[in-house]
């Protein structure tokens, strides 16, 4: 039996999933980590990448041994995925990290984003790697002239494992614009961006510092001896194991939800929340809340990315768990979430007049540069557990709803959206409220809670044996041919209630702007 290993570096967990030839989960492991705010910038220490992934892989291999016997697994291919965007600059010397890893969560790149968006004729979001690079140039950071290569977190890990400086096209599309016809960097826009860099005396050549772009299914190197030791010091994963192109979490989310064909889309909900819709044709207008990325094979995708997702729900769940413990009733986090989400279905459609904001970080979609989580209520609002739970979930979807309305206004059509992430582990709750928020049917498959690591393992399987199919057909005919999907259409009362909530939400953004000054 051959296995495929997918590893994803998420915002709060490093997760490893091994699937068998039928893409069923054979084993899994994980490691919890957190970003830190250092000198005003959100970051992770790269040393934590390796302690974290080694722990996740070790627990996976132990899980596999417990389930299937103690022999070393026959791994046919490995894939690495991670949070997209951000800034990881390196010098020419091995391991010469020139600046701390700046994640997608940072919103300090406003001047660069505005200048690039105007010059390139398309939205360049604050979190894109080129925005971080150009902001460092504008700020006169001395390390810029020494940059020999620039990459993402997935690209960095893949290079340390294989020695190959490459990136999957989906992840690459969050660094710099992609030409879908060539599945490579957009050459005319590279020239324009180079002119901007030269005009600032940056002293770097953009073409030379960006990774080589690969499409899903292409070979991307093999584990080196050093890479195998980094990944698994126990030696159970051998050097020479093939690896597929590293991807971003958006691409693995599309794969995990079978949403790479036109008129399909997906929603991934975690620390951030984003929706991806594979386009039938280019968008006619430029919108700051919409950025254009690609599927793992380079097809154009409209992305609505919200910096803030389920973290505020997590915070309240911890409070309720602590309360239960102090009352003498220890409950595990899964029980807390299940109870909280089930209570939301008993809440009033508009949350009883409560208003909540989940903004732990700045939110570009609504023009906010800093986060201030808030709960606001009027004297006549109905504050109880069901209304609070429902309001917290609706607040996680509110900013996404605003962005998706822009796509609808542009005539973009989607038949249904596939949802994935831990928020959808409690059946029928977040799914129902998301359908109301977006006004489209929402599908949740049995694999929804597996997330991006499982999607990355599927991409590894595709690289090992594509069955001669394109990625969309491979997913439809091989991976998801017999899947079980639960579909929830928007409920009229839920939609009307969410509309009332969203109207208050828009008006309440003024409160957020005042809170930012405190």
């Amino acid at each position: 039996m051959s296995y495929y290993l997918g590893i994803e570096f998420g915002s709060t967990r490093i997760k490893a999933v091994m699937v068998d030839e039928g893409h069923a989960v054979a084993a899994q492991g994980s490691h919890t980590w957190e970003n830190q705010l250092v000198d005003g910038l959100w970051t992770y220490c790269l040393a934590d990448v390796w302690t974290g992934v080694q722990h996740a892989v070790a627990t996976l291999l132990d899980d596999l041994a417990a389930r299937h016997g103690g022999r070393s697994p026959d791994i046919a291919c490995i894939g690495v995925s991670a949070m997209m965007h951000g800034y990881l600059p390196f010098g020419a010397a091995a391991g010469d990290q020139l600046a701390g890893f700046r994640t997608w969560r940072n919103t300090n790149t406003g001047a660069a984003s505005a200048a690039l968006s105007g010059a390139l004729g398309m939205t360049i979001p604050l979190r894109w790697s080129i925005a971080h690079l150009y902001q460092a140039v504008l700020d006169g950071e001395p390390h810029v002239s020494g940059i020999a290569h620039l990459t993402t977190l997935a690209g960095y890990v893949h290079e340390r494992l294989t020695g190959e400086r490459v990136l999957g096209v989906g992840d690459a599309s969050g660094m710099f614009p992609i030409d879908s016809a060539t599945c490579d960097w957009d050459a005319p826009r590279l020239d324009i961006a180079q002119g901007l860099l030269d005009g600032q005396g940056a002293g770097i050549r953009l073409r030379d510092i960006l990774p080589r772009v690969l499409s899903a299914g292409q070979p991307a190197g093999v584990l080196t001896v050093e890479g195998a030791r980094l990944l698994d010091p126990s030696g159970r994963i051998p050097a020479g194991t093939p690896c597929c192109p590293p991807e971003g979490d958006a691409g693995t989310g599309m794969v995990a939800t079978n949403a790479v064909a036109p008129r399909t889309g997906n929603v991934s909900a975690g620390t951030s929340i984003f929706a991806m819709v594979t386009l039938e044709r280019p968008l006619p207008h430029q919108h700051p809340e919409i950025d254009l990325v690609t599927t793992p094979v380079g097809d154009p995708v409209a992305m609505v990315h919200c910096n803030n997702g389920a973290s505020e729900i997590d915070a309240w769940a911890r409070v309720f768990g602590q309360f239960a413990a102090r009352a003498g009733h220890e409950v595990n986090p899964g029980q807390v979430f299940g109870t909280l989400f089930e209570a939301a279905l008993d809440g009033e459609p508009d949350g009883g007049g409560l208003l909540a904001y989940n903004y732990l970080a700045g939110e570009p979609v609504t023009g906010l540069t800093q986060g201030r989580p808030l709960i606001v209520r009027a004297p006549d609002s109905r504050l109880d557990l069901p209304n609070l739970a429902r309001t917290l979930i609706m607040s996680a979807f509110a900013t996404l709803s605003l962005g998706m309305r822009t796509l609808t206004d542009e005539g973009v059509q989607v038949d249904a959206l596939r949802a994935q992430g831990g928020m959808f582990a409690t059946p029928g709750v977040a799914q129902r409220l998301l359908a109301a928020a977006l006004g489209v049917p929402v599908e949740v498959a049995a694999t929804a809670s597996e997330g991006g690591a499982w999607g990355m393992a599927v991409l590894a399987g595709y690289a090992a044996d594509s069955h001669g199919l394109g990625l969309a057909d491979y997913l439809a005919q091989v991976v998801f041919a017999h899947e079980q999907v639960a579909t929830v259409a928007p409920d009229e009362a839920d939609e009307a209630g969410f509309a009332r909530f969203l109207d208050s939400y828009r008006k309440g953004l003024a409160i957020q702007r005042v809170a930012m000054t405190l």
Side-chain angles (χ1 to χ4, degrees):
M1 171 70 74
S2 293
Y3 297 100
Y4 312 117
L5 174 59
I7 301 167
E8 183 152 281
F9 293 82
S11 301
T12 59
R13 279 203 305 166
I14 301 170
K15 189 173 181 181
V17 170
M18 190 173 287
V19 302
D20 60 24
E21 292 168 350
H23 302 96
V25 174
Q28 51 190 328
S30 67
H31 175 84
T32 299
W33 70 340
E34 290 285 350
N35 54 192
Q36 299 90 37
L37 189 62
V38 178
D39 297 328
L41 294 172
W42 292 103
T43 188
Y44 296 85
C45 174
L46 293 191
D48 294 341
V49 167
W50 301 110
T51 56
V53 75
Q54 287 170 8
H55 179 252
V57 169
T59 56
L60 172 139
L61 292 172
D62 290 344
D63 183 35
L64 185 72
R67 294 195 202 191
H68 304 286
R71 64 186 184 280
S72 295
D74 177 15
I75 301 177
C77 193
I78 297 172
V80 173
S81 174
M83 300 168 280
M84 288 176 66
H85 320 293
Y87 185 67
L88 265 172
F90 294 90
D96 184 16
Q97 185 182 357
L98 300 181
F101 173 34
R102 300 171 188 178
T103 76
W104 55 271
R105 202 171 195 177
N106 292 293
T107 56
N108 63 308
T109 57
S113 173
L116 288 164
S117 297
L120 300 182
M122 65 178 289
T123 299
I124 302 297
L126 301 177
R127 64 189 179 279
W128 278 30
S129 303
I130 185 61
H132 283 280
L133 172 64
Y134 194 49
Q135 190 66 51
V137 171
L138 294 178
D139 292 343
E141 296 194 41
H143 74 268
V144 169
S145 61
I147 297 176
H149 63 103
L150 180 69
T151 191
T152 65
L153 180 56
Y156 160 75
V157 173
H158 183 89
E159 183 176 354
R160 290 293 307 274
L161 295 180
T162 67
E164 298 288 340
R165 193 168 295 166
V166 299
L167 206 59
V169 64
D171 201 12
S173 69
M175 291 192 75
F176 191 86
I178 290 291
D179 181 349
S180 289
T182 63
C183 249
D184 204 348
W185 306 115
D186 186 317
R189 287 188 168 101
L190 272 179
D191 292 337
I192 295 170
Q194 186 65 55
L196 293 177
L197 293 171
D198 292 344
Q200 296 291 331
I204 52 175
R205 190 168 184 270
L206 198 52
R207 279 184 172 83
D208 292 342
I209 67 172
L210 290 172
R212 182 164 56 94
V213 180
L214 297 176
S215 183
Q218 291 185 282
V222 301
L223 278 184
T224 63
V225 172
E226 178 193 10
R229 192 180 304 117
L230 270 174
L231 191 62
D232 172 35
S234 74
R236 287 176 284 181
I237 299 179
T241 303
C243 295
C244 67
E247 260 301 343
D249 52 358
T252 57
M254 283 185 271
V255 169
T257 53
N258 191 20
V260 301
R263 292 178 66 98
T264 65
N266 79 301
V267 173
S268 292
T271 302
S272 65
I273 183 169
F274 55 84
M276 317 280 294
V277 178
T278 305
L279 298 173
E280 297 177 279
R281 60 188 67 86
L283 292 180
H285 303 102
Q286 182 179 340
H287 298 278
E289 66 270 35
I290 307 294
D291 48 305
L292 298 177
V293 291
T294 77
T295 69
V297 289
D299 294 328
V301 172
M303 181 180 191
V304 179
H305 184 284
C306 308
N307 273 6
N308 299 279
S311 294
E312 186 67 355
I313 298 174
D314 293 346
W316 279 98
R318 286 194 296 272
V319 170
F320 289 126
Q322 291 164 4
F323 177 84
R326 284 179 175 268
H329 303 283
E330 290 281 352
V331 290
N332 64 49
Q335 291 174 299
V336 176
F337 277 103
T339 301
L340 190 62
F341 274 55
E342 288 166 4
L345 293 183
D346 295 326
E348 297 172 58
D350 65 352
L354 304 181
L355 183 59
Y357 293 91
N358 62 334
Y359 293 169
L360 286 168
E363 188 53 77
V365 174
T366 49
L368 297 169
T369 58
Q370 298 179 45
R372 295 292 188 275
L374 292 174
I375 290 182
V376 182
R377 63 189 177 100
D380 60 348
S381 299
R382 278 78 64 196
L383 175 59
D384 57 24
L385 180 62
N387 280 336
L388 176 61
R390 191 180 186 100
T391 298
L392 289 172
I393 297 171
M394 289 195 297
S395 75
F397 297 148
T399 309
L400 182 67
S401 177
L402 294 174
M404 288 295 288
R405 278 164 166 73
T406 301
L407 285 182
T408 301
D409 292 343
E410 284 284 16
V412 174
Q413 295 182 332
V414 59
D415 297 325
L417 288 168
R418 290 284 181 94
Q420 67 156 1
M423 282 187 72
F424 303 98
T426 302
V429 181
Q431 181 182 10
R432 173 175 154 182
L433 296 181
L434 181 61
L438 302 185
V440 297
V442 173
E443 301 173 345
V444 174
T447 55
S449 61
E450 299 297 344
W454 182 80
M456 193 67 241
V458 170
L459 284 174
Y462 180 68
D465 182 7
S466 69
H467 295 250
L469 299 170
L471 182 59
D473 288 337
Y474 177 83
L475 295 177
Q477 298 176 29
V478 178
V479 180
F480 293 100
H482 305 292
E483 70 172 336
Q484 296 179 339
V485 176
T487 302
V488 171
D491 174 82
E492 186 175 339
D494 288 341
E495 281 194 283
F498 186 86
R500 292 193 298 274
F501 169 81
L502 192 64
D503 183 60
S504 297
Y505 189 92
R506 284 193 179 101
K507 295 173 182 175
L509 288 169
I511 306 171
Q512 281 284 314
R513 295 186 179 94
V514 173
M516 281 168 44
T517 67
L518 302 178

